[in-house]
Coordinates of all heavy atoms in Angstrom, one line a residue:
K12 N -42.0 40.5 -11.5 CA -40.7 40.3 -10.8 C -39.5 40.9 -11.5 O -38.6 41.5 -10.9 CB -40.5 38.8 -10.6 CG -41.4 38.1 -9.6 CD -41.3 38.6 -8.2 CE -42.2 37.9 -7.2 NZ -42.1 38.4 -5.9
V13 N -39.5 40.8 -12.9 CA -38.4 41.3 -13.6 C -38.5 42.9 -13.6 O -37.5 43.5 -13.5 CB -38.5 40.8 -15.1 CG1 -37.4 41.5 -16.0 CG2 -38.3 39.3 -15.1
E14 N -39.7 43.4 -13.7 CA -39.8 44.9 -13.6 C -39.3 45.4 -12.2 O -38.6 46.4 -12.2 CB -41.2 45.4 -13.9 CG -41.3 46.9 -13.8 CD -42.6 47.5 -14.4 OE1 -42.7 47.2 -15.7 OE2 -43.3 48.1 -13.8
E15 N -39.7 44.7 -11.2 CA -39.2 45.1 -9.8 C -37.7 45.1 -9.8 O -37.1 46.0 -9.2 CB -39.8 44.2 -8.8 CG -41.3 44.4 -8.6 CD -41.9 43.3 -7.7 OE1 -41.1 42.4 -7.2 OE2 -43.1 43.3 -7.5
F16 N -37.1 44.0 -10.4 CA -35.7 43.9 -10.4 C -35.0 45.1 -11.2 O -34.1 45.7 -10.7 CB -35.3 42.6 -11.0 CG -33.8 42.4 -11.3 CD1 -32.9 42.1 -10.3 CD2 -33.3 42.7 -12.5 CE1 -31.6 42.0 -10.5 CE2 -31.9 42.7 -12.8 CZ -31.1 42.3 -11.8
L17 N -35.6 45.3 -12.3 CA -35.0 46.4 -13.2 C -35.1 47.8 -12.5 O -34.1 48.5 -12.5 CB -35.8 46.5 -14.5 CG -35.5 45.3 -15.5 CD1 -36.5 45.4 -16.7 CD2 -34.0 45.4 -16.0
I18 N -36.2 48.0 -11.8 CA -36.4 49.3 -11.2 C -35.3 49.4 -10.0 O -34.7 50.5 -9.9 CB -37.8 49.5 -10.6 CG1 -38.8 49.7 -11.8 CG2 -37.9 50.7 -9.7 CD1 -40.2 49.7 -11.4
T19 N -35.2 48.4 -9.2 CA -34.3 48.4 -8.1 C -32.8 48.6 -8.6 O -32.1 49.5 -8.1 CB -34.3 47.1 -7.3 OG1 -35.7 46.9 -6.8 CG2 -33.3 47.0 -6.2
R20 N -32.4 47.9 -9.6 CA -31.0 48.0 -10.1 C -30.8 49.3 -10.8 O -29.7 50.0 -10.6 CB -30.7 46.8 -11.1 CG -30.7 45.5 -10.5 CD -29.4 45.4 -9.6 NE -28.2 45.2 -10.4 CZ -27.2 46.1 -10.5 NH1 -27.2 47.1 -9.7 NH2 -26.2 45.8 -11.3
L21 N -31.7 49.8 -11.6 CA -31.5 51.1 -12.2 C -31.5 52.2 -11.2 O -30.7 53.2 -11.4 CB -32.6 51.4 -13.3 CG -32.5 50.5 -14.5 CD1 -33.8 50.6 -15.3 CD2 -31.3 50.9 -15.4
R22 N -32.3 52.2 -10.2 CA -32.3 53.2 -9.2 C -31.0 53.1 -8.3 O -30.5 54.2 -7.9 CB -33.5 53.0 -8.3 CG -34.8 53.3 -8.9 CD -34.9 54.8 -9.2 NE -35.1 55.6 -8.0 CZ -35.1 56.9 -7.9 NH1 -34.8 57.6 -8.9 NH2 -35.3 57.5 -6.7
E23 N -30.4 52.0 -8.2 CA -29.2 51.8 -7.4 C -28.0 52.5 -8.2 O -27.2 53.2 -7.6 CB -28.8 50.4 -7.2 CG -29.6 49.6 -6.2 CD -29.3 48.2 -6.2 OE1 -28.5 47.7 -7.0 OE2 -29.8 47.4 -5.3
V24 N -28.0 52.3 -9.5 CA -26.9 52.8 -10.3 C -27.1 54.3 -10.8 O -26.2 55.0 -10.9 CB -26.7 51.9 -11.5 CG1 -25.6 52.3 -12.4 CG2 -26.5 50.4 -11.1
F25 N -28.4 54.6 -11.1 CA -28.7 56.0 -11.6 C -29.7 56.6 -10.6 O -30.9 56.7 -11.0 CB -29.3 55.9 -13.0 CG -28.4 55.1 -13.9 CD1 -28.8 53.8 -14.3 CD2 -27.3 55.7 -14.5 CE1 -28.0 53.1 -15.3 CE2 -26.5 55.0 -15.4 CZ -26.8 53.7 -15.8
P26 N -29.4 56.9 -9.4 CA -30.3 57.4 -8.4 C -31.1 58.7 -8.8 O -32.2 58.9 -8.2 CB -29.5 57.5 -7.1 CG -28.1 57.7 -7.6 CD -28.0 56.9 -8.9
D27 N -30.5 59.5 -9.6 CA -31.2 60.7 -10.0 C -32.1 60.6 -11.2 O -32.8 61.6 -11.5 CB -30.1 61.8 -10.3 CG -29.2 62.1 -9.1 OD1 -29.7 62.0 -8.0 OD2 -28.0 62.4 -9.4
D28 N -32.1 59.4 -11.8 CA -33.0 59.3 -13.0 C -34.3 58.7 -12.7 O -34.5 58.0 -11.7 CB -32.3 58.3 -14.0 CG -31.0 58.8 -14.6 OD1 -30.7 60.0 -14.3 OD2 -30.3 58.1 -15.3
G29 N -35.3 59.0 -13.5 CA -36.6 58.4 -13.3 C -36.7 57.1 -14.0 O -35.8 56.7 -14.8
V30 N -37.8 56.3 -13.7 CA -38.0 55.0 -14.3 C -39.5 55.0 -14.7 O -40.4 55.4 -13.9 CB -37.7 53.9 -13.4 CG1 -37.9 52.5 -14.1 CG2 -36.3 54.0 -12.9
F31 N -39.8 54.5 -15.9 CA -41.2 54.3 -16.4 C -41.3 52.9 -16.9 O -40.6 52.5 -17.9 CB -41.5 55.4 -17.5 CG -42.9 55.3 -18.0 CD1 -43.9 56.0 -17.3 CD2 -43.2 54.7 -19.2 CE1 -45.2 55.9 -17.7 CE2 -44.5 54.7 -19.7 CZ -45.5 55.3 -18.9
G32 N -42.2 52.1 -16.3 CA -42.3 50.7 -16.7 C -43.7 50.3 -17.2 O -44.7 50.9 -16.8
E33 N -43.7 49.2 -17.9 CA -45.0 48.7 -18.4 C -46.0 48.3 -17.3 O -47.2 48.6 -17.4 CB -44.8 47.5 -19.4 CG -46.1 47.0 -19.9 CD -46.0 45.8 -20.8 OE1 -44.8 45.3 -21.0 OE2 -47.0 45.4 -21.4
E34 N -45.5 47.6 -16.3 CA -46.4 47.1 -15.3 C -46.7 48.0 -14.1 O -46.9 47.6 -13.0 CB -45.8 45.7 -14.8 CG -45.5 44.7 -15.9 CD -46.7 44.5 -16.8 OE1 -47.8 44.6 -16.4 OE2 -46.4 44.2 -18.0
G35 N -46.7 49.3 -14.4 CA -47.1 50.3 -13.4 C -45.9 50.9 -12.6 O -46.2 51.8 -11.8
G36 N -44.7 50.5 -12.9 CA -43.6 51.1 -12.2 C -43.3 52.5 -12.8 O -42.9 52.6 -14.0
E37 N -43.5 53.5 -12.0 CA -43.2 54.9 -12.5 C -42.6 55.7 -11.3 O -43.3 55.9 -10.3 CB -44.4 55.6 -13.0 CG -44.2 57.0 -13.6 CD -45.4 57.6 -14.3 OE1 -46.4 56.9 -14.3 OE2 -45.2 58.7 -14.8
I38 N -41.3 56.1 -11.4 CA -40.6 56.8 -10.4 C -40.0 58.0 -11.0 O -39.3 58.0 -12.0 CB -39.5 55.9 -9.8 CG1 -40.1 54.6 -9.1 CG2 -38.7 56.6 -8.7 CD1 -39.1 53.6 -8.7
A39 N -40.3 59.1 -10.3 CA -39.8 60.4 -10.8 C -38.4 60.6 -10.4 O -37.9 60.0 -9.4 CB -40.6 61.6 -10.2
G40 N -37.6 61.2 -11.3 CA -36.2 61.5 -11.0 C -36.0 63.0 -11.0 O -36.9 63.8 -11.3
S41 N -34.7 63.4 -10.8 CA -34.4 64.8 -10.8 C -33.5 65.2 -11.9 O -33.2 66.4 -12.1 CB -33.7 65.2 -9.4 OG -32.5 64.4 -9.2
S42 N -33.0 64.2 -12.7 CA -32.0 64.5 -13.7 C -32.6 64.9 -15.0 O -31.9 65.5 -15.9 CB -31.1 63.3 -13.9 OG -31.9 62.2 -14.5
G43 N -33.9 64.6 -15.2 CA -34.5 64.8 -16.5 C -34.4 63.6 -17.4 O -35.1 63.6 -18.5
R44 N -33.7 62.6 -17.0 CA -33.6 61.4 -17.8 C -34.5 60.3 -17.2 O -34.7 60.3 -16.0 CB -32.1 60.8 -17.7 CG -31.1 61.8 -18.2 CD -29.7 61.2 -18.4 NE -29.4 60.2 -17.5 CZ -28.3 59.4 -17.6 NH1 -27.5 59.5 -18.7 NH2 -27.9 58.5 -16.7
I45 N -35.1 59.5 -18.1 CA -36.0 58.5 -17.7 C -35.6 57.2 -18.4 O -35.4 57.1 -19.6 CB -37.5 58.8 -18.1 CG1 -37.9 60.1 -17.4 CG2 -38.4 57.7 -17.6 CD1 -39.2 60.7 -17.9
W46 N -35.5 56.1 -17.6 CA -35.3 54.8 -18.1 C -36.7 54.1 -18.4 O -37.4 53.9 -17.4 CB -34.5 53.9 -17.2 CG -33.1 54.4 -17.0 CD1 -32.6 55.3 -16.0 CD2 -32.0 54.2 -17.9 NE1 -31.3 55.6 -16.3 CE2 -30.9 54.9 -17.4 CE3 -31.8 53.4 -19.1 CZ2 -29.6 54.9 -18.0 CZ3 -30.6 53.4 -19.7 CH2 -29.5 54.1 -19.2
V47 N -37.0 53.8 -19.6 CA -38.2 53.3 -20.0 C -38.0 51.8 -20.3 O -37.3 51.4 -21.1 CB -38.8 54.0 -21.3 CG1 -40.1 53.4 -21.7 CG2 -38.9 55.5 -21.0
I48 N -38.8 51.0 -19.5 CA -38.4 49.6 -19.4 C -39.7 48.7 -19.8 O -40.8 49.0 -19.4 CB -37.9 49.1 -18.1 CG1 -38.9 49.5 -16.9 CG2 -36.6 49.8 -17.8 CD1 -38.5 49.0 -15.5
D49 N -39.4 47.6 -20.5 CA -40.4 46.6 -20.7 C -39.8 45.3 -20.2 O -38.8 44.8 -20.8 CB -40.7 46.5 -22.2 CG -42.0 45.6 -22.4 OD1 -42.3 44.8 -21.6 OD2 -42.5 45.7 -23.5
P50 N -40.2 44.8 -19.1 CA -39.5 43.6 -18.5 C -39.6 42.4 -19.4 O -38.6 41.6 -19.4 CB -40.3 43.4 -17.2 CG -41.6 44.0 -17.4 CD -41.4 45.2 -18.3
I51 N -40.7 42.1 -20.0 CA -40.8 41.0 -21.0 C -41.7 41.5 -22.1 O -42.9 41.5 -22.0 CB -41.4 39.8 -20.4 CG1 -40.5 39.2 -19.2 CG2 -41.5 38.7 -21.4 CD1 -41.1 38.0 -18.5
D52 N -41.0 42.0 -23.2 CA -41.8 42.4 -24.4 C -42.1 41.1 -25.2 O -41.2 40.3 -25.5 CB -41.0 43.3 -25.3 CG -41.8 43.7 -26.5 OD1 -42.9 44.0 -26.4 OD2 -41.2 43.5 -27.6
G53 N -43.4 40.8 -25.4 CA -43.8 39.6 -26.1 C -44.3 38.6 -25.0 O -44.0 37.4 -25.1
T54 N -45.0 39.1 -24.0 CA -45.5 38.2 -23.0 C -46.4 37.1 -23.5 O -46.3 35.9 -23.0 CB -46.3 39.0 -21.9 OG1 -45.4 40.0 -21.3 CG2 -46.8 38.1 -20.8
F55 N -47.2 37.4 -24.5 CA -48.0 36.3 -25.1 C -47.2 35.2 -25.7 O -47.4 34.0 -25.5 CB -48.9 36.9 -26.2 CG -50.0 36.0 -26.6 CD1 -51.3 36.0 -26.0 CD2 -49.9 35.1 -27.7 CE1 -52.3 35.2 -26.4 CE2 -50.9 34.3 -28.1 CZ -52.1 34.3 -27.4
N56 N -46.1 35.6 -26.4 CA -45.2 34.5 -26.9 C -44.5 33.8 -25.7 O -44.4 32.6 -25.8 CB -44.0 35.2 -27.7 CG -44.5 35.8 -29.0 OD1 -45.6 35.5 -29.4 ND2 -43.8 36.7 -29.6

C-alpha cells in the first residue's frame, strides 16, 4: 500500500520521471531521472 501511494504521488509531481520500487513497482520515465523507493525498509523489524 505504501509503495502504491509513493508511486502515485511521485508520478503526480514528477510525471516525466521513472520510478523503481522494491515491491515490483517499475515505471519508465522520459527525463532520465528515476525515483528509487523502499516503502518500508526493515519490514522484518
